[in-house]
Amino acid sequence: MQYKNIGFIASEVKQSDMEQEYLLKQGCIKIQNVSDLKKYKIDLLCVLGGDGYMLRTFHKFINTKIDFYGINCGTQGFLLNNCRNKFDNKTIEELMDNAQKYSVNPLKAL
């Protein structure tokens, strides 16, 4: 799928400087809050962090009609893609084309 405007959000807990630099060079926009999605017309949001951060991001942006692409910045994780060794020779679109796609329906316990 071709995306026009790709944004990203990064966990403050995980070290993601390399991933952020890569995405900025690819023309992606750093997102600070939900209103930035509409402002920049984001249709794909890259989530840099771990599984927990990905799940929190799902909940934060649950009412948006955008796709998510998770990039693992830790050591383990099943929701996110491990891309660190692939950044040098691939575009973000190529990484997404090779990713396993899942539909996730996040639950929230009250």
Side-chain angles (χ1 to χ4, degrees):
M1 180 174 192
Q2 188 68 19
Y3 294 98
K4 292 181 182 178
N5 299 305
I6 300 173
F8 70 91
I9 186 168
S11 169
E12 294 178 9
V13 176
K14 302 282 183 182
Q15 183 70 311
S16 64
D17 294 340
M18 179 180 68
E19 292 84 353
Q20 289 189 54
E21 183 179 325
Y22 166 80
L23 291 172
L24 289 169
K25 285 181 182 176
Q26 295 281 321
C28 301
I29 302 162
K30 187 165 186 177
I31 299 302
Q32 302 296 331
N33 52 54
V34 178
S35 64
D36 283 349
L37 295 178
K38 189 173 184 180
K39 177 180 176 182
Y40 297 111
K41 299 178 182 173
I42 300 299
D43 50 2
L44 173 79
L45 185 64
C46 293
V47 181
L48 307 176
D51 287 351
Y53 188 66
M54 182 68 157
L55 291 170
R56 286 189 298 281
T57 301
F58 281 155
H59 285 286
K60 184 176 183 179
F61 297 100
I62 200 162
N63 293 321
T64 64
K65 302 291 183 204
I66 62 171
D67 290 335
F68 295 88
Y69 180 77
I71 298 177
N72 187 3
C73 296
T75 55
Q76 298 178 1
F78 66 94
L79 290 176
L80 308 175
N81 299 284
N82 188 354
C83 301
R84 289 191 174 197
N85 298 331
K86 301 173 186 169
F87 284 148
D88 292 336
N89 20 350
K90 300 216 182 215
T91 66
I92 188 66
E93 289 86 3
E94 290 172 318
L95 291 175
M96 289 185 299
D97 288 343
N98 293 323
Q100 180 70 40
K101 294 175 180 30
Y102 293 99
S103 292
V104 177
N105 299 305
L107 301 174
K108 188 172 186 176
L110 300 175

